[in-house]
Amino acid sequence: MARIEVRGAEQMAELAKRLKGADAKVRRRLSKSIRDGVRPAVADTKRAVLAIPVTGARGGGGKARTEHHLTRVKDPESERARKRAAARSGLRRSIAAAIKADIQTGGRKAGVRIVVDANKLPQDQRTLPRHLNSKRGWRHPLFGDRDRWYAQSGKPWFEVTIRKHVRKIRRTILKAMDELAKEIES
């Protein structure tokens, strides 16, 4: 996915240095404020991927995603676990479930990113969020038949959605940082 940067990372890094000596509750409050500010963008990004229209054949990778979800439960043989895994096995639904905010309040990499956590997807499908975000799309064997290939197109949804929220996220983060900086100084 393309990287969207919001200016102000320098201030965040400076505040992170000052937070090292501060109480852990203060750092947690900053993270919570940032998470609350990013939450609408994450939710909107999830809605955007779910809204991508389904085209062409269905059911190509659902089995792999179902099996992947079953690796994460205690009793993968239970009927309930199989039904829940199958219900979460759609590509768009799996990608939506893997979208999260990654917040770093310390060190040189202080900042906020909205990412698709590839570890939550099956091994062979970890590049699909990037392809689904591209007009160019991708090619894959039709139902596993390597003699017949199918071209699947994508639609930009990731950056387009996040860009709508950048100003508000930035304002929220800067406000939270200013409040905490004032609290630390006093």
Side-chain angles (χ1 to χ4, degrees), residues 64-82:
R65 282 187 293 278
T66 300
E67 293 303 318
H68 174 73
H69 289 302
L70 286 172
T71 63
R72 297 171 167 263
V73 296
K74 289 181 182 176
D75 183 15
E77 298 302 318
S78 75
E79 186 64 27
R80 182 173 181 245
R82 289 205 159 278

Side-chain angles (χ1 to χ4, degrees), residues 35-80:
R35 192 167 309 284
D36 290 346
V38 175
R39 189 171 286 131
V42 171
D44 201 18
T45 306
K46 289 180 179 192
R47 280 191 296 274
V49 73
L50 291 171
I52 296 172
V54 177
T55 58
R58 294 179 53 106
K63 184 175 180 184
R65 282 187 293 278
T66 300
E67 293 303 318
H68 174 73
H69 289 302
L70 286 172
T71 63
R72 297 171 167 263
V73 296
K74 289 181 182 176
D75 183 15
E77 298 302 318
S78 75
E79 186 64 27
R80 182 173 181 245

